[in-house]
Amino acid sequence: MTMNSIIKSTGSYLPERILTNAELEKMVDTTDEWITQRSGIKQRHIARDDESTGDMAIKAALDALATSGLSPDDIDGVIVATTTPDRTFPSVAVKVQGELGIKPGLAFDVQAVCTGFVYALTVADNFIKCGQAKNILVIGAEKMSSLVDWTDRTTCVLFADGAGAVVLSAQENNEGLAGQGIHSTHLYANGAQREMLQTTGGVSTTGDNGVIEMQGREVFKYAVSYMADVVGEVLERNNITSADIDWLVPHQANIRIIEGTAKKLDMGMEQVVVTVDHHGNTSAASIPLALDEAVKSGKIMRGQMLLIEAMGGGLTWGAALVRF
Ligand code: ACO
């Protein structure tokens, strides 16, 4: 008998304002055709000036709690994956904890850019597996619009805002891979590649947040190969084949990277959760947003096997095998 962390419920929040490619055509020298062909993005949600990452995280967390059958009193911890916190400190996680009236317990942020949710899920899974917590709110929340240089056409067309959340709960498992829960997690970073995708500043250097600068073509190249490697590792480690996977739930950066990973897995696109067309790249929020949309629409059903994967600044990358 082992202890597994199961995804008890999912939730999400997207800001009301939708920014279309047609509007971007009026802001920078770009076209709907270029953005669609290169990235697959048609529109994205952008937060209001007075709407913070924490505000969005709270809404996603409340949504996930509502269907969990748990109350804030049952939650032992809050882990938020974000690159765009409300303040340098304290963390977004303590804001969520405080605003939801969750009792004192662990609460902190994880920063691994677009791979953040996979990192946060892994940390929470380990707390649960070692018996230090029973129910953890794991949130991915980002206001990437606040880090974008809106005059830089190479990045401003890609990034967006939103939040997604899951309630992760301890459950005994004696069925091996047939049982519900997180079966394996795989995390990587290659710090030698940190300058490929970074901000131009930060607290202890320039004293401001900086804006995103990205060597897009290079990042794209490594994204495709790292994703192929890590999904291969998931299959090998668990002694399964891609035929055992029901859904690929990838980070939503670029439809071409997603298609490349699906191809490597020999999976048809009908088995891939795609939201990049209407969400854009919401960094750490993209996987829980995609997951929640697929669960609520009835695509992902209980008992199905999910392969989650992401790649982002650092470079960082990772994956998780989860029976929902
Ligand atoms: N509109 C029109 N033309 C553009 C635009 C634009 N918005 N942006 C760039 N171009 C031009 C370039 O200037 C270049 O012109 P040139 O040939 O005259 O020099 C041309 O289009 C091709 O540019 P590339 O950068 O080679 O285009 P590419 O096909 O690589 O697509 C993209 C760019 C979409 C950024 C792609 O490289 C990509 O998706 N990279 C990976 C991004 C990613 O996955 N990031 C990781 C997660 S993000 C995170 O962790 C924060």
Side-chain angles (χ1 to χ4, degrees):
M1 185 88 74
T2 56
M3 193 58 82
N4 260 10
S5 317
I6 65 155
I7 297 180
K8 209 169 177 69
S9 63
T10 63
S12 65
Y13 171 77
L14 285 163
E16 212 174 303
R17 160 118 169 84
I18 291 173
L19 178 66
T20 63
N21 290 353
E23 288 171 87
L24 280 164
E25 284 180 353
K26 295 186 196 121
M27 294 161 61
V28 287
D29 181 16
T30 192
T31 60
D32 171 47
E33 192 193 359
W34 191 96
I35 302 169
T36 307
Q37 269 183 7
R38 302 290 175 127
S39 71
I41 302 168
K42 297 297 280 183
Q43 62 176 51
R44 71 287 285 144
H45 292 253
I46 301 293
R48 297 187 313 269
D49 287 347
D50 66 350
E51 192 171 35
S52 71
T53 294
D55 298 334
M56 294 188 279
I58 287 165
K59 288 189 170 139
L62 284 170
D63 191 29
L65 260 183
T67 51
S68 67
L70 300 174
S71 77
D73 258 358
D74 300 313
I75 301 296
D76 309 307
V78 183
I79 303 178
V80 178
T82 189
T83 317
T84 49
D86 296 25
R87 294 169 189 270
T88 303
F89 76 85
S91 65
V92 174
V94 298
K95 177 169 175 171
V96 174
Q97 189 204 37
E99 292 297 317
L100 264 58
I102 293 170
K103 63 179 186 282
L106 66 93
F108 58 91
D109 292 356
V110 166
Q111 204 273 68
V113 207
C114 297
T115 319
F117 185 74
V118 182
Y119 268 73
L121 197 70
T122 302
V123 173
D125 177 44
N126 287 335
F127 273 119
I128 287 175
K129 285 200 169 118
C130 74
Q132 279 190 272
K134 281 201 173 74
N135 301 300
I136 300 182
L137 255 173
V138 186
I139 303 166
E142 299 276 21
K143 188 172 177 177
M144 295 306 278
S145 62
S146 61
L147 270 188
V148 162
D149 172 358
W150 286 99
T151 64
D152 176 7
R153 68 174 184 171
T154 69
T155 53
C156 78
V157 301
L158 304 173
F159 294 98
D161 305 333
V166 301
V167 174
L168 216 58
S169 296
Q171 182 172 286
E172 283 180 350
N173 177 38
N174 55 9
E175 300 174 86
L177 279 184
Q180 235 184 315
I182 298 178
H183 290 291
S184 72
T185 55
H186 310 250
L187 297 183
Y188 289 98
N190 181 356
Q193 295 173 319
R194 65 192 180 279
E195 288 175 6
M196 260 181 214
L197 176 50
Q198 62 181 2
T199 59
T200 54
V203 184
S204 65
T205 50
T206 56
D208 60 29
N209 298 323
V211 290
I212 298 171
E213 60 178 11
M214 175 168 79
Q215 297 166 27
R217 217 173 293 182
E218 284 296 289
V219 174
F220 185 90
K221 196 173 78 190
Y222 285 103
V224 171
S225 84
Y226 287 154
M227 288 301 89
D229 288 351
V230 81
V231 297
E233 182 183 299
V234 172
L235 301 184
E236 203 181 309
R237 181 90 58 86
N238 292 283
N239 204 13
I240 57 174
T241 69
S242 49
D244 298 304
I245 309 292
D246 295 298
W247 290 100
L248 179 66
V249 189
H251 167 48
Q252 308 285 322
N254 185 314
I255 191 66
R256 292 182 295 146
I257 299 173
I258 296 172
E259 285 168 351
T261 312
K263 197 168 166 206
K264 162 78 186 175
L265 284 165
D266 218 5
M267 287 173 76
M269 286 304 284
E270 68 286 352
Q271 279 182 278
V272 183
V273 179
V274 176
T275 55
V276 68
D277 54 328
H278 53 290
H279 290 175
N281 182 348
T282 57
S283 185
S286 96
I287 288 175
L289 271 167
L291 187 63
D292 187 52
E293 187 180 288
V295 168
K296 288 203 174 115
S297 70
K299 273 184 177 175
I300 291 181
M301 290 182 289
R302 284 287 169 200
Q304 290 187 321
M305 191 68 106
L306 317 181
L307 177 43
I308 291 171
E309 45 90 350
M311 187 267 180
L315 296 179
T316 52
W317 65 103
L321 182 73
V322 186
R323 190 171 292 284
F324 183 64

